[in-house]
Structures are given as C-alpha cells and as structure tokens.
Amino acid sequence: MAFYDAAHEGAGEVTHERIAIRVLGALSATVNGHPVVIAGPRQRTIFAMLVLTEGRVVSVDSLVDAVWGSQPPNTARTQVAICVGALRKAFRTARFDGPVIETTHPGYRLLTRACTFDARDFAAVSAEAAESIRLGHVDEGVGLYRKALDLWTGPALSGVAGQMVEDEAALLEAERLAAYEALFDAELTLGRHQEVLPELSALADDQPLHEKLRHTLMLAQYRSGRRAEAAEGFRRWRRRFVEEIGMEPSASIHELQRAILQDAPELSLRGDDVPWSGRRALPAELPAAVPEFLGREAELAVLDTLVVDADEREPSGPARSRAGIVAGAAGVGKTSLVVHWAHRVSRHFPDGQLYADLSQYEWTQPTATVHALLGRFLRILGVAAELVPDHLDECLSLYRSLLADRRVLVILDNACSLAHIQPFLPGCGPSRVVATTGGRQDPMAVGSDAVRVDLGPLPDAQAVELVARIIGERRVLEDTSAVYELGRLCGRLPLALRAAAGRLAAKPHWSVRHMVYRLTKGSRRLDELSAGGLEVRQGLERGYRSLPEEAARMCRMLGLLDAPDFTAHAGATLLAVDHVAAEDAMEQLFDMHLLTVVGTDASGALRYAFHELARLFARERALAEESDQTRQAALNRLSGMHLAPLLISH
C-alpha cells in the first residue's frame, strides 16, 4: 500500500502518523501498526459508514438508519454521538494525536488525509492489471490481479451489521468476483488451464449461481482433458440454476456445452494461438428470454422494421435504419422486450448476437470504456487479442469493417447516454444495434433514422394476466379485485409485478389480498418488491444517481409531498429557487421517466406527477439524505404559500 503523510489541522506541521483502514475482510484500523479497538456492533457500523463515504459527510439520520433501521430508540441521536466519541478515544489510545472524525452539519465525516484504504488500493491495482492485459502484457496483468486479490482476507466488512453496510459489502464482493473473472480469462489465454483448475473450481462451487465462473471452469476442464467432467458438471449446475433462479442460463453457456459435447475444434488451443482467434466467430451472447413475457405487440412491430430494413435494403446503398432505441422508466420491461425480440428475430442475424450491459462499465472516462468494450467485441468476433488495435479510431475502423459484410445484432442494455451508443453503430451493411435507456434523450445522437420505442406500464388486463401466469389462474379468480389493486400498487411495471407474484408463488399460503396489504405500507413497498434478484429499487437508483445535483434534490423534495400532482411553482417553493430553475429540474426528472405530465392547471401551467414507485423512492431518498431541518423548512415555505393540501402526511 502507498501511505500518505497528513498535516495536523491548524498546526501547520507534517505528521508521519499513518492510519491503515481495512474493509476487505473484517473491518479494522491500525495506527502505525497499533490496532484501534472498535468495541461493539454500533461503533463498527458507524465507523464502517464513515469509512465507506471516504471523507464525505454522513448525516446523523443516515447513521441512525444504519444502526437501528426503521425503529430507532428515542435516544438514537445521543447514542450516535456517544459512539463517535468512543471512536475518537480509541484512535487516541492507539497513539494518533490528530483529529480523525470531524463534526460537521448535518453529521460527521472521516478525515482521510492520514488514511489508507485497502479497497482503494484494490481498485487501483486491478485497473493497472486490466490496462496491462489490454496492452498485451498478459503475464504482467496476471501478477497484478493476484497482488490485488491478495489484499482480501475474508468477506468484505465481515462482522458489521446493518443493511446499508451490507449493500456496500455486496458491491465490494462483486468487484472481487470481477477481478477473478479477468484473472482466470488471462490465465486461460496463457494456456494455464490445469494450473488454475483447483482454484477456479473452488471459487465456482462457492458461487454456484455465477454464470461466468461456470463458463470459465467448463472451458478449463475441457482444455485439461476433462471433457466428461465439464459436460456432467454443467448438467448438475444447470438444474440447480433453474430451480433457484427460475429461468434458463444464458445462450452463451448453452452454446459452450454444445461445443464441448461435439468436441468442437475451436475450443482447443493450438500451439501459441490465442483462443477463439483466427476464425469467423458466431457469438450468441443474448441473455435468456423472460418466460412470462406477454403483450407489447405494437412495440415489437416497431422493432421489426429493423429486420425488414436489413433484409430488403437496396444493393446500392445502406439500409434505412441501423439502430433502435427502447426508452422507459426503471422496471417497465425494456430489457425483457429487447431480449424477447432479439431471440425472435435471431435467424435474421446468422452471424451472431453481441450483448453488453453498459451499467456494468465505468463511464468516468468514456473513451477508455468504449475502447475496452470494442476490444471485447472484436475478440468475440474472432480477432486475436494481440491484433486488437491500441488506438480507438483503429478499433472503430476494424469493428465497422467486420460488421460491414455480416448480419450481427448488437444489444446495448442500460445506456446512460445515447452518446455512448454512437461508436457501436455499423457504418453500413445489415448489422443492427438496439439499445435500452432510462432517459428521454435527443435521438440525433444515434442518427435521425433511428427507430424509437417509448415503453409505458402494462395495461390493467395484461398486468393481471402476467400475475396469473406466475401464481396460477385459480388464485387470481379467487380475488380478481385484489389482483387489480396489486397491479396499481406495482405501477403496472412488469419487474415489480414479477417480484410481487414471485413472492406469492413462493408462499402459497398467502392470499393476493395479504400481499396487497403488505404493499400498502408505503415505507416498506420497495423492500417487498425485491425477490429472486428482481430489484425494483436498484433500477430506480441507477436513474437517480445519473441526475444532476439540483434535479436529484428536486426529486427528493417532491417526494415529501402527499399530493397526486404538482406544478413547477410548488417545486420552486420547496427548493427556494426561481420558477425557470425549478421547471428545468422537473423536466430532467421527466426525461429520466421519474415524473410524467398529467395535464395543466387553470393558468395553463404543466402539472407533473410521480410514477407510483418513483414517488416512494423519492421520499426514501429525502428521508435518507436531507436533514429534519431542511425538510421542515421546505414544507414550511410551501405551507406559507397557501399550499396546505400538499403537506406531507404523517
């Protein structure tokens, strides 16, 4: 690790005291090797929250939520202050004389200038490893990945309780698995199949539902002469996957299984060749289609025009439409629609299908990310790793040249910006790109000829049919009115409906009416609508985090209102900004499908309303991120403007 000197605040002198903080395992801190004794679960949770924000202020309310959840004691804020005082004393006892935790409105922050973090070092070394591999220095990259993974001593933040901390620990664990994926890919590129088998097998068994690890394990087993073991292991793994997830694994791992059973020559390394290189590859990366998909005939017909264009283009020129955009709110079924359509038309793209979830990539440096993703696509399309160009413009040229005489379908899921899609458009020829996005954005970013689908909630009848497909018609007929109410509480969003119906399917002793009762508890509804990996909150969070700060603040404040709709005037009063600034912020929420326009008032002003679940999410963020004083001041301003009906309900 690299350690940093810190200056005592106000002293003007440099101290060489060093605090090393570890979260990649049990939470711990040391001062020049002396352990800091963090006693008790509450202190550990509070310290973890301060560490995870890396120098940003954590409100007292957030700390109370992290420690006690929805039922804090009356003395919670006092107890937080006592825990912070005990943490400060623990650092002094460990011989750190400078300030460590600063009190600043509306809570506390960790002073990080004297601190090192193993998680930050892990991220930096992993990035260095990825760059080494991208430049062709695979052996060096392997060493760096192993150096990064050696920083882990156990499950992230083990021994620390609290939902917020557990969520952050899950993100760290996901980064660890991503590093292992890249490591094993590199090891197989170097032909070290037998060497990594014990380690890879143990990790795959520890992560039984992780497709990529199973895919890599099967390939390593095959190349180590264990063909039967790879095939039989897949059959057992697939059975468990279907039983626990309720859907088939991806098409790509089924394709690998077929290739193993057929003893396909392309699976084997030949001499010093790079695997999967030197051939016209037929990628099949589409995720499995959602089995309960229904309706959306009009939207599917719009997307079908892409296939018509590809098949009927004039020989003398390119087809009319190269791209399709599917936009809509989180949970409305964008990915399900596109994947269902892609499977339906896959025969029109005999040269394969590429897929990437853009939300899984870091976009702080878009050029580097586009280059990395293009490199992955090129390797999948059969370009040897050492032949992937180092410069983005050369990468783009090679990618477009490969697509020019092929029929390839490229699916880009969860695009934050249409500008991220533009580099992947084919220059000419029958290949197509279809992207999903949560925002209403200028389609000119992908060309005026792009096909666009704006996806809304399901009609009432289809929402009921979706629930019936999952829980059975008998339970629906027992209380049809409750099923319609279930649809309303889920905003008729397919993701939320599948989550709610999935819970009912898993609990046959529950009536639909009982599930409706649980969902009427607004403060818990987003928790209830999280089952089987269907995370409604996660999709809303993705759109919210992409908002500019003023729009995010507007979202939070509007979430305090107990009103069916509101104008920009109400938003301006809540935030104490002028009308134009408020309207701009609310239009940004409209663009991200968090708000909808429901009409105008007597003066002609637009009236906005939240989508059903977006309103609950906005209120949740307001309670988590805004202080009591800030929330009350905003509502007092609104009350003072004679808008009493919009006051928060208690």
Side-chain angles (χ1 to χ4, degrees):
M1 289 187 186
F3 289 93
Y4 304 95
D5 292 334
H8 280 300
E9 290 193 1
E13 60 181 9
V14 174
T15 178
H16 296 280
E17 295 169 327
R18 301 164 177 173
I19 300 174
I21 297 174
R22 300 187 64 87
V23 298
L24 305 182
L27 176 67
S28 67
T30 59
V31 177
N32 290 336
H34 300 288
V36 178
V37 179
I38 305 172
R42 292 173 186 170
Q43 285 187 35
R44 286 196 292 273
T45 299
I46 289 171
F47 185 59
M49 290 287 289
L50 295 172
V51 168
L52 290 170
T53 57
E54 285 200 30
R56 297 188 301 277
V57 177
V58 184
S59 70
V60 174
D61 289 339
S62 294
L63 295 175
V64 169
D65 276 351
V67 175
W68 289 281
S70 60
Q71 295 181 318
N74 294 333
T75 59
R77 298 174 71 86
T78 301
Q79 291 189 50
V80 167
I82 292 171
C83 287
V84 171
L87 287 170
R88 288 167 171 160
K89 182 178 179 180
F91 276 94
R92 291 196 297 271
T93 302
R95 304 177 190 174
F96 189 86
D97 297 328
V100 178
I101 301 173
E102 178 183 56
T103 302
T104 182
H105 182 76
Y108 306 91
R109 71 182 179 99
L110 182 69
L111 301 176
T112 60
R113 289 178 299 170
C115 301
T116 64
F117 302 92
D118 57 350
R120 187 164 58 193
D121 292 338
F122 170 78
V125 178
S126 295
E128 188 179 353
E131 179 64 11
S132 293
I133 291 173
R134 188 186 71 80
L135 295 174
H137 310 307
V138 181
D139 206 13
E140 177 184 330
V142 165
L144 287 168
Y145 270 125
R146 293 205 173 276
K147 179 181 177 182
L149 289 163
D150 284 343
L151 294 171
W152 287 75
T153 59
L157 292 161
S158 58
V160 184
Q163 187 61 51
M164 296 181 184
V165 176
E166 290 169 8
D167 290 344
E168 291 295 331
L171 293 175
L172 290 170
E173 289 291 339
E175 293 176 12
R176 180 177 72 96
L177 290 176
Y180 268 118
E181 290 176 22
L183 167 67
F184 290 131
D185 283 346
E187 293 277 31
L188 263 62
T189 297
L190 295 171
R192 299 171 183 167
H193 323 300
Q194 292 187 3
E195 293 89 335
V196 300
L197 259 182
E199 183 183 16
L200 176 55
S201 181
L203 187 62
D205 289 343
D206 190 51
Q207 302 289 330
L209 302 180
H210 198 291
E211 275 196 59
K212 180 62 170 67
L213 289 174
R214 178 59 51 175
H215 188 288
T216 306
L217 174 61
M218 290 167 62
L219 189 57
Q221 288 170 327
Y222 177 86
R223 290 181 180 166
S224 299
R226 302 183 182 184
R227 178 186 173 199
E229 185 178 331
E232 179 57 29
F234 170 81
R235 281 191 287 268
R236 292 196 305 269
W237 172 82
R238 176 195 165 275
R239 189 182 310 116
R240 178 173 181 178
F241 188 97
V242 172
E243 289 174 353
E244 296 196 22
I245 300 297
M247 63 178 69
E248 281 288 334
S250 68
S252 62
I253 199 167
H254 277 288
E255 181 62 31
L256 176 61
Q257 170 74 345
R258 284 192 291 271
I260 288 173
L261 293 176
Q262 296 167 7
D263 204 16
E266 63 264 23
L267 296 183
S268 300
L269 283 173
R270 297 179 297 277
D272 295 326
D273 289 351
V274 178
W276 305 93
S277 64
R279 64 185 183 93
R280 189 178 175 90
L282 297 178
E285 292 198 305
L286 293 178
V290 175
E292 304 88 14
F293 185 87
L294 79 162
R296 308 298 197 189
E297 288 83 3
E299 292 85 353
L300 289 168
V302 172
L303 291 176
D304 281 344
T305 62
L306 290 168
V307 176
V308 172
D309 288 342
D311 290 346
E312 298 182 1
R313 72 193 192 284
E314 293 294 330
S316 58
R320 186 171 69 254
S321 300
R322 298 173 300 160
I325 306 297
V326 177
V332 78
K334 301 182 294 293
T335 300
S336 297
L337 171 69
V338 169
V339 171
H340 175 82
W341 173 80
H343 279 289
R344 196 175 75 166
V345 302
S346 60
R347 68 185 184 280
H348 294 282
F349 298 94
D351 294 310
Q353 308 90 40
L354 298 171
Y355 174 88
D357 182 352
L358 300 190
S359 70
Q360 302 301 311
Y361 289 80
E362 176 58 59
W363 290 96
T364 53
Q365 295 181 311
T367 300
T369 301
V370 168
H371 192 185
L373 186 51
L374 278 173
R376 183 173 83 80
F377 281 171
L378 288 172
R379 290 191 296 274
I380 292 170
L381 290 169
V383 177
E386 70 270 16
L387 298 179
V388 174
D390 291 335
H391 299 290
L392 178 58
D393 56 345
E394 296 174 358
C395 233
L396 285 167
S397 296
L398 180 56
Y399 170 79
R400 289 169 181 158
S401 297
L402 288 175
L403 294 191
D405 62 346
R406 303 188 190 192
R407 292 177 182 267
V408 176
L409 178 60
V410 183
I411 304 296
L412 300 175
D413 207 6
N414 295 314
C416 180
S417 167
L418 294 187
H420 296 161
I421 300 167
Q422 198 279 332
F424 299 95
L425 299 179
C428 60
S431 293
R432 294 290 179 267
V433 172
V434 178
T436 70
T437 179
R440 294 179 174 91
Q441 302 170 43
D442 183 2
M444 292 301 292
V446 292
S448 59
D449 59 355
V451 168
R452 184 178 182 90
V453 172
D454 287 301
L455 207 56
L458 290 172
D460 282 325
Q462 289 186 357
V464 171
E465 183 181 349
L466 176 57
V467 174
R469 287 190 180 186
I470 298 173
I471 70 173
E473 290 187 7
R474 179 186 59 80
R475 293 174 76 183
V476 169
L477 293 174
E478 287 173 353
D479 195 345
T480 304
S481 63
V483 180
Y484 275 98
E485 179 64 8
L486 180 73
R488 185 190 69 81
L489 292 169
C490 292
R492 292 180 285 112
L493 297 178
L495 182 66
L497 287 165
R498 286 202 300 273
R503 295 202 70 190
L504 284 168
K507 296 184 180 293
H509 55 288
W510 281 11
S511 67
V512 178
R513 181 71 57 184
H514 180 68
M515 188 70 202
V516 167
Y517 168 76
R518 293 175 68 93
L519 292 179
T520 56
K521 307 297 182 183
S523 61
R524 289 181 45 81
R525 195 180 311 171
L526 292 178
D527 294 324
E528 295 286 346
L529 295 176
S530 297
L534 302 175
E535 291 286 348
V536 175
R537 183 186 282 108
Q538 184 177 3
L540 292 165
E541 180 82 18
R542 186 184 301 127
Y544 172 74
R545 291 302 174 195
S546 68
L547 292 170
E549 175 53 36
E550 197 68 7
R553 184 163 172 255
M554 178 66 79
C555 180
R556 296 192 294 269
M557 290 307 188
L558 291 174
L560 297 173
L561 303 182
D562 186 29
D565 51 64
F566 34 78
T567 65
H569 182 63
T573 305
L574 284 169
L575 266 64
V577 297
D578 63 52
H579 183 276
V580 173
E583 185 177 74
D584 286 345
M586 292 170 77
E587 283 294 318
Q588 288 172 322
L589 299 181
F590 171 80
D591 289 342
M592 290 305 298
H593 293 91
L594 293 168
L595 291 183
T596 184
V597 175
V598 296
T600 58
D601 64 10
S603 68
L606 292 173
R607 299 199 69 84
Y608 299 86
F610 275 114
H611 290 282
E612 177 67 17
L613 299 180
R615 177 180 62 82
L616 297 176
F617 176 80
R619 180 179 177 83
E620 189 178 90
R621 297 321 312 157
L623 296 176
E625 298 182 35
E626 300 289 350
S627 67
D628 292 341
Q629 296 89 337
T630 300
R631 296 197 303 267
Q632 193 57 53
L635 292 171
N636 287 344
R637 286 194 296 272
L638 203 58
S639 178
M641 294 299 294
H642 309 290
L643 294 174
L646 299 179
L647 283 176
I648 186 173
S649 63
H650 293 284

